[in-house]
Amino acid sequence: AGDCLMTYVLDNRVLKRKTGGVRHRNSKELADFHTSAVSMWFDYIIGVDMGDGWFRTLEGNFIPTSIDDVTIISRREDVEVEFVLDNSQLKSDAPGIRMRRSCNMEDVDDSTLAKWEETVRGVDLLNGWVRTIDNFYMPMMHEEIPVLVRKRPDGELAIDEGGEFGELALMLDGGWTQGSD
């Protein structure tokens, strides 16, 4: 497995659990829950696949790589997610965003236009760009204003209004049931 840090996704596409995510463990024991560390479904997580059924996070916590024999840790580049074109902060008069042929703002493809509030599927390249399923590129920001927002599995936009841990705090306030992962 090695110690090469990579970016993965906590993947619920096959398992389809109703929980918000997966609690981290202090060790490679399923019952050894961390008191507060949680990764939400479809969050990006950085760490190492230990090759023994466990994933070690950058912080040193552990997450099982499968639940009920279903893999829940996927390489980030293998997971396409939905993004919504959001004009709520930019307030542009333009009808939408032109796709790009590369991760270069000047490399516009004039034949493509994604309209505001449309949903596009793609991979977050973690550099401010999304590669769409039809191999075009879209910027996530325009002049430091978000214009492409990841859609959570429940259909809501993943806008972090509560600070970095806002969603986590809501999850913990709601409590975890005995059957949580």
Side-chain angles (χ1 to χ4, degrees), residues 146-160:
V147 294
L148 199 59
V149 180
R150 195 168 76 165
K151 203 185 227 188
R152 294 192 322 224
D154 62 7
E156 294 294 316
L157 298 184
I159 297 173
D160 189 14

Side-chain angles (χ1 to χ4, degrees), residues 24-174:
H24 293 206
R25 285 17 182 224
N26 294 309
S27 67
K28 294 180 181 182
E29 295 292 326
L30 280 174
D32 188 14
F33 291 108
H34 190 280
T35 56
S36 62
V38 176
S39 289
M40 308 304 280
W41 291 118
F42 300 102
D43 271 356
Y44 297 120
I45 51 177
I46 298 173
V48 177
D49 183 344
M50 304 300 291
D52 59 358
W54 289 93
F55 179 87
R56 188 183 71 228
T57 68
L58 183 61
E59 298 80 17
N61 302 324
F62 294 90
I63 302 172
T65 58
S66 64
I67 295 175
D68 297 335
D69 294 321
V70 175
T71 299
I72 62 166
I73 305 282
S74 297
R75 293 180 349 162
R76 178 199 50 82
E77 56 270 13
D78 293 340
V79 178
E80 294 171 352
V81 295
E82 291 185 333
F83 297 86
V84 175
L85 279 79
D86 179 24
N87 193 24
S88 65
Q89 294 180 51
L90 185 63
K91 300 186 185 331
S92 171
D93 292 329
I97 300 174
R98 296 260 179 226
M99 303 265 193
R100 304 316 200 261
R101 290 182 289 267
S102 69
C103 292
N104 178 336
M105 288 296 283
E106 308 304 316
D107 196 7
V108 176
D109 182 336
D110 290 324
S111 68
T112 60
L113 174 71
K115 295 181 181 172
W116 297 119
E117 299 182 24
E118 258 183 23
T119 298
V120 294
R121 289 189 62 76
V123 175
D124 184 343
L125 300 177
L126 301 181
N127 63 359
W129 290 84
V130 168
R131 185 185 68 237
T132 66
I133 59 171
D134 45 2
N135 285 317
F136 286 106
Y137 297 83
M138 298 188 72
M140 296 185 76
M141 308 276 271
H142 178 74
E143 297 175 358
E144 299 185 27
I145 298 173
V147 294
L148 199 59
V149 180
R150 195 168 76 165
K151 203 185 227 188
R152 294 192 322 224
D154 62 7
E156 294 294 316
L157 298 184
I159 297 173
D160 189 14
E161 296 174 357
E164 183 179 355
F165 299 105
E167 190 172 339
L168 175 60
L170 289 173
M171 171 64 73
L172 293 175
D173 285 346

